[in-house]
Amino acid sequence: MDYTLLNNGVKIPMLGLGTYRIGRTDDDVYNAIRTALDMGYRHIDTATLYENEAPIGKAIRESGIPREDIFVTTKLWGDDVLKNEIPQAFDQSMQLLDIGYVDLYLVHWPVKGKLVSTWREMEKIYASDKAKAIGLSNHLQHHLEEILDEANVLPAVNQVEMHPYVVLNDLVDFCEENAIVCEAWSPLGSSKVPLLEEKILREIGDKYGKSPAQVVLRWNIERGVVAIPKSSNKERQAANLDIFDFKLTPEDVQLINSLDKNYRTGIHPDEIGF
Ligand code: A2P
């Protein structure tokens, strides 16, 4: 596993497990997380929206792995921002997870007119030491600029949809210039697009004995982007972790970048209805 450092010195694994719809029941979720932790995952990404914090927390507690060895992220949902209930929302996540602290707390989506006031509340949560780092998700450059202008604590992370169909080089560069680590959600492009069937990815993978999915994940981490592929399947979880024994050439990277269509499978951050 490779790690990078957040702007406050906290260490984050470059690959984590996404958990949106990872299981239909709490038992499914629990089992998927236990399986992932047993095989070596040390970074789990959840959110209030996913309604799975309780079984994830239970799986972490019962894994036998020291708490400090697992990086856990959860996220603040926009409804709680609109209700002015940010501290209550955080406390609720903490109660459901029941793991003492979270490593990273993110604002899930930008809420219009409330970017800076939300960030102030996030800074208070950071000061409480119950979140070791705070950051953003689905924020574009203009959202980041508005927050950076007023921030006392710099956002550590911006997590957005990112894969070879939506490369977002400008956003990655802006984040790097501002010491914000980018994370990719749906790094494999989700099942809504045929990204993993691209011939280019198959041909690159064949050179290294790797699958298109492994090539895409490697491409993410080589550009400094933390990837959190979701899989509830043991074999695919293992495959997604097995990307630290090969390296792409600059030509491979150029070919992968050429797939860019600036196409999101999810909502555009300016169109979220908060
Ligand atoms: P599964 O859970 O059955 O493995 P998301 O876009 O939410 O991150 O979801 C990723 C999608 O890609 C899921 O449908 C997941 O299905 C699938 N997936 C995860 N890993 C792989 C892989 N290595 N190869 C192919 N599909 C994958």
Side-chain angles (χ1 to χ4, degrees), residues 67-80:
R67 170 68 189 90
E68 61 273 20
D69 291 352
I70 307 176
F71 189 99
V72 183
T73 301
T74 193
K75 312 186 192 83
L76 168 69
W77 188 236
D79 289 350
D80 295 312

Side-chain angles (χ1 to χ4, degrees), residues 111-265:
V111 177
K112 280 187 201 73
K114 292 201 169 256
L115 299 185
V116 173
S117 60
T118 301
W119 192 248
R120 286 279 170 267
E121 294 297 322
M122 295 293 284
E123 288 175 335
K124 286 183 204 159
I125 289 167
Y126 181 61
S128 77
D129 207 32
K130 288 186 205 146
K132 300 296 174 192
I134 51 174
L136 305 163
S137 178
N138 300 302
H139 284 54
L140 301 175
Q141 183 169 331
H142 72 90
H143 300 119
L144 297 175
E145 282 168 342
E146 196 176 324
I147 293 166
L148 288 171
D149 275 349
E150 302 289 334
N152 298 314
V153 178
L154 292 176
V157 161
N158 187 27
Q159 183 188 111
V160 299
E161 179 181 354
M162 208 182 271
H163 45 73
Y165 285 164
V166 58
V167 169
L168 303 179
N169 272 330
D170 290 349
L171 185 62
V172 172
D173 289 347
F174 181 83
C175 285
E176 198 181 329
E177 282 158 22
N178 288 282
I180 298 170
V181 168
C182 274
E183 286 185 16
W185 62 260
S186 278
L188 300 174
S190 93
S191 48
K192 293 182 196 157
V193 284
L195 172 66
L196 300 182
E197 288 158 32
E198 289 285 353
K199 192 162 161 262
I200 287 172
L201 299 176
R202 168 71 55 202
E203 285 171 358
I204 293 171
D206 284 348
K207 293 196 295 177
Y208 308 105
K210 297 288 176 182
S211 69
Q214 290 168 318
V215 169
V216 169
L217 294 173
R218 184 75 207 172
W219 168 84
N220 271 283
I221 65 163
E222 284 191 16
R223 68 200 292 249
V225 172
V226 172
I228 48 164
K230 171 249 156 189
S231 181
S232 38
N233 171 280
K234 188 176 178 180
E235 283 70 39
R236 288 191 285 278
Q237 283 184 354
N240 295 347
L241 204 54
D242 184 20
I243 57 162
F244 296 99
D245 58 353
F246 75 111
K247 209 172 170 329
L248 301 169
T249 64
E251 294 74 35
D252 296 335
V253 170
Q254 218 173 13
L255 282 168
I256 298 168
N257 286 341
S258 76
L259 295 172
D260 190 17
K261 314 171 198 278
N262 199 25
Y263 181 79
R264 289 180 172 83
T265 68

